Amino acid sequence: MIKDIKIGAITYAVIEVPDLAGANDEGAHVRFNGRIGYSECKIEIDSTNPEQIKAATLWHEIVHGILAQAGQDHTEENVIALGYGIVQVLRDNPELVRYTQGAGK
């Protein structure tokens, strides 16, 4: 797992936490795969999940961060679709990652 990620102007610490849980939007106690803390500048990822779930969860939280910094209202369904979609595109197209990293250099 990476140690930190820069999203816009903010660098977030990425922290693995065993059995990540807390209150959801309705106040119910639930288990989370991940959570972004905007004011704490941290992203927590459940350490008990397999690596492929951790990677998808990290992207999910990154999408939350991007949209929040842009001042965009967003639903959890939108973030799920974008997070998993990005991970799948990156996995299916490694040449896209290389191209993107080299473009503009």
Side-chain angles (χ1 to χ4, degrees), residues 31-94:
R31 185 174 178 275
F32 295 109
N33 287 334
R35 176 172 52 203
I36 187 167
Y38 301 108
S39 60
E40 300 90 3
C41 302
K42 70 179 178 180
I43 295 174
E44 297 173 309
I45 304 293
D46 190 317
S47 64
T48 63
N49 283 328
E51 289 302 315
Q52 63 182 344
I53 299 296
K54 290 179 190 178
T57 301
L58 180 58
W59 273 101
H60 175 100
E61 301 308 329
I62 290 168
V63 169
H64 271 299
I66 292 168
L67 294 172
Q69 282 192 17
Q72 298 295 308
D73 289 333
H74 55 279
T75 67
E76 192 66 17
E77 291 79 12
N78 294 139
V79 174
I80 290 168
L82 287 169
Y84 279 99
I86 289 167
V87 170
Q88 194 60 53
V89 167
L90 293 173
R91 286 181 180 160
D92 290 347
N93 301 281

